[in-house]
Amino acid sequence: MSVRFVKIYVALIFSMLPILCMAEGSASDLIRIEQDSMTYELNSKNRTAKLVNGKSRKGRVLVPNTIKHKARRYKVTEIGDRAFYSNCKLKSITIRDEVTRIGNQAFYDCSGLDSILFSDKTKLDTICEYALKGCGHLKYMLLKEKETLTPICI
């Protein structure tokens, strides 16, 4: 193997690194916006949104199917890790169809939370570890049966 061939091969590998790193969505694909006192992280590449902060919300909260930003619609597919962490003023939350994942500690220590409602068409398939830990007043959670639902760790 010639030295020239090795140099070209190495240069080719390094030139592909940015492409490989962007496979899951780079920082340039992500936009943060605030709507209805909640912060969302928008992925412009696949037009999805993750709710990342709802700690200032109180009372009854609706997580919408979609949000609009600059004339584009984004599907809300995730409630992120620690999104409502320690929000004791949150009373109930309604989660619409498109949410597939509730992140780690998403509602951790939301001591005032008494109900979580899901659409009968929910696509939820993952509730991460300790998502509901410390929700001592949680009276009920309505969720359609799904074989693939990850067990809830409270």
Side-chain angles (χ1 to χ4, degrees), residues 4 39 75 102 144:
R4 182 182 164 151
T39 306
K75 286 183 184 179
I102 297 176
K144 79 173 190 175

Side-chain angles (χ1 to χ4, degrees), residues 21-40:
C21 293
M22 290 191 317
E24 292 207 21
S26 68
S28 64
D29 293 331
L30 303 177
I31 305 162
R32 280 193 174 230
I33 65 161
E34 188 168 323
Q35 282 187 9
D36 298 324
S37 300
M38 293 190 287
T39 306
Y40 295 89

Side-chain angles (χ1 to χ4, degrees), residues 59-72:
R60 300 180 193 282
V61 173
L62 170 69
V63 177
N65 270 336
T66 62
I67 59 171
K68 191 174 181 181
H69 177 66
K70 293 187 178 179
R72 293 181 85 181

Side-chain angles (χ1 to χ4, degrees), residues 114-125:
D114 63 19
S115 66
I116 301 176
L117 307 171
F118 295 90
S119 163
D120 60 348
K121 296 176 184 173
T122 186
K123 295 178 183 173
L124 183 70
D125 61 17

Side-chain angles (χ1 to χ4, degrees), residues 60 91-94 112-117 137-141:
R60 300 180 193 282
K91 299 296 176 200
S92 72
I93 189 152
T94 301
L113 184 62
D114 63 19
S115 66
I116 301 176
L117 307 171
H137 288 95
L138 189 59
K139 295 180 183 123
Y140 61 92
M141 186 166 134

